[in-house]
Amino acid sequence: MKLLLSSDARPEGAVPSLESAVASKSEANLSPLGPAANVAHAAHASPARPFISVAVPTFRRPDTIRRTIDSIVGQDFSNWELVISDDEGPKGSSWPILEEYARRDPRIRIIENLRGRGQVENTNNAMLACKGKWIKLLHDDDWLATGALKRFAEISVKYPSAAFMTCAAHVVEENRVVMRSDPPEQNRVSLYSSQQCLTDLYLVRVTRSLGIIPSTLLINAAVIHAGCQMRAHKSIPAGVDQLFFVDLARYGDMVAINEGLIFYDATHHPSITTSKSYEDVDEVTLAVKQLNWDLIDDRRGLPEPEPLLRALRVARIPARLRHQPWRTTVRDAVQILRPSVMKIANQYALEYLFRIRPKLGGLQTRKR
């Protein structure tokens, strides 16, 4: 069954090696969309329905929430609303700060999460309260780059029936900021069909090279109100973000914007990701890969989930080397001796060096 948030246009830069989707698999707990009703023809002002809603789920981040809000208020695009869902509520340390901003700007609404505590329900609470045609997710320790909302609006007008968009991110680390420079214009915006996106997510290709995280997403509100929301899964307790990306891809086309439109704070704030061991991360990754695998219509030439995970563990050795026991590093390294892993590694190296890397743009670093 084809999910009807799609476009036949394929601009230059879209993945050429994958076949366009003719059908998308569905599950009982995901309702298909009907025809999209012209969700984004123009970004004109509309008091009843803003063009972009920024959804910010927050929990005990009084130290960073001001930075997040200021980045929205300071945008050169004015047709937005900001919905902040506080998981702690009026008694929390962030609530007085949020009230201060809401008093100054009527476009800012504060709501308490009464759906059930936690990342999943707090994010859903924020998104479901949004009135805009598009929903821009933004975590409470990340922030928008200058001109980000205007750029998202410009691209959404060109792709009104896309299910979602993702952009590149500037990464903020402890002592430096890794800035992504914009590539040539023809390499900045690419359109992926549902099946192309599912395959790209599975293989950890362009979407992950751009750095897809919740804060990079701009989501068609029709998708959220049709039932595609964050959800927990019994085998993926800490992989709700990855599962959400896969669910979004099932609903239609994705637009990848190869421009750094958000700043992602990768410093040592407590989070689900940073509180898990690499073994837990690998377990979650395998579970997501298995679900993703079942959704891909044409699996010819694709590695199965377990050998793919072995190859990913090898690729992640440099990043994990100083943070895991040497026995684990040796165990991961010897996986390269498996023919299936070597084949995946070679294919990815060629794909990355000759197709992905040239389109990403350069990286620059500056001290914080």
Side-chain angles (χ1 to χ4, degrees):
M1 176 173 56
K2 179 64 176 174
L3 299 177
L4 299 178
L5 274 181
S6 62
S7 171
D8 294 331
R10 290 291 181 271
E12 184 176 357
V15 180
S17 58
L18 301 174
E19 295 182 2
S20 296
V22 294
S24 294
K25 298 188 179 184
S26 63
E27 294 179 1
N29 63 339
L30 272 176
S31 302
L33 295 180
N38 298 326
V39 294
H41 279 310
H44 57 76
S46 173
R49 190 178 191 191
F51 192 71
I52 294 178
S53 293
V54 183
V56 177
T58 190
F59 179 68
R60 294 182 182 174
R61 288 273 174 80
D63 54 331
T64 62
I65 192 64
R66 287 186 183 274
R67 182 179 62 188
T68 301
I69 299 174
D70 286 341
S71 76
I72 300 162
V73 174
Q75 292 289 306
D76 57 356
F77 175 83
S78 61
N79 191 10
W80 55 263
E81 69 165 352
L82 169 58
V83 178
I84 307 172
S85 177
D86 194 331
D87 208 20
E88 196 172 16
K91 296 182 179 179
S93 56
S94 298
W95 196 269
I97 298 173
L98 304 180
E99 285 186 320
E100 173 191 335
Y101 277 96
R103 282 193 297 267
R104 298 200 312 239
D105 195 322
R107 295 172 296 179
I108 299 174
R109 288 190 287 127
I110 317 164
I111 59 174
E112 182 180 359
N113 175 30
L114 300 176
R115 298 173 60 87
R117 295 291 183 249
Q119 176 193 358
V120 170
E121 293 300 346
N122 199 27
T123 302
N124 289 338
N125 193 52
M127 293 192 298
L128 289 170
C130 290
K131 300 177 182 177
K133 296 179 179 180
W134 294 87
I135 298 173
K136 176 73 197 81
L137 264 181
L138 191 63
H139 278 175
D140 57 0
D141 57 346
D142 301 331
W143 67 97
L144 296 176
T146 300
L149 289 186
K150 182 178 181 180
R151 183 60 172 153
F152 274 120
E154 290 171 348
I155 296 172
S156 64
V157 168
K158 295 179 180 178
Y159 301 94
S161 58
F164 72 109
M165 303 182 187
T166 187
C167 68
H170 305 300
V171 180
V172 181
E173 299 176 345
E174 289 294 336
N175 299 310
R176 65 174 187 168
V177 180
V178 181
M179 304 284 291
R180 184 184 294 276
S181 60
D182 293 337
E185 189 66 37
Q186 66 269 22
N187 290 334
R188 294 190 187 182
V189 180
S190 303
L191 183 65
Y192 291 70
S193 71
S194 173
Q195 282 291 306
Q196 286 175 330
C197 185
L198 285 167
T199 304
D200 192 84
L201 285 167
Y202 178 76
L203 293 174
V204 199
R205 293 298 196 249
V206 174
T207 44
R208 300 307 279 181
S209 296
L210 289 178
I212 185 172
I213 56 174
S215 286
T216 63
L217 298 177
L218 180 74
I219 306 168
N220 191 321
V223 171
I224 300 301
H225 295 296
C228 184
Q229 297 152 27
M230 273 198 175
R231 62 187 176 111
H233 190 283
K234 61 182 180 181
S235 62
I236 314 173
V240 293
D241 292 350
Q242 296 179 55
L243 181 59
F244 189 45
F245 306 148
V246 172
D247 284 345
L248 285 169
R250 297 169 60 191
Y251 271 76
D253 293 349
M254 177 196 75
V255 175
I257 307 169
N258 193 2
E259 299 174 24
L261 300 181
I262 69 118
F263 285 84
Y264 166 56
D265 192 337
T267 55
H268 298 307
H269 295 300
S271 67
I272 291 177
T273 304
T274 58
S275 65
K276 296 294 179 182
S277 68
Y278 289 130
E279 287 78 9
D280 292 332
V281 171
D282 290 341
E283 183 179 347
V284 165
T285 299
L286 180 59
V288 173
K289 295 301 177 195
Q290 289 169 336
L291 287 173
N292 196 344
W293 171 261
D294 290 337
L295 295 169
I296 297 173
D297 291 335
D298 186 357
R299 299 194 285 261
R300 289 174 297 179
L302 298 181
E304 294 189 1
E306 290 193 4
L308 177 60
L309 178 62
R310 295 189 189 105
L312 290 174
R313 285 207 301 256
V314 172
R316 291 166 178 169
I317 286 175
R320 297 180 174 187
L321 187 60
R322 298 172 57 188
H323 308 286
Q324 65 183 10
W326 66 268
R327 290 184 180 86
T328 303
T329 299
V330 172
R331 180 204 67 188
D332 292 342
V334 298
Q335 297 298 316
I336 200 66
L337 300 177
R338 293 174 178 259
S340 60
V341 174
M342 178 67 77
K343 180 180 179 181
I344 297 169
N346 288 338
Q347 289 176 339
Y348 182 74
L350 293 173
E351 174 88 354
Y352 184 81
L353 289 174
F354 294 105
R355 192 178 75 83
I356 299 176
R357 179 65 259 175
K359 294 184 178 182
L360 289 180
L363 297 177
Q364 302 174 349
T365 61
R366 60 177 175 84
K367 293 183 178 179
R368 291 192 65 185

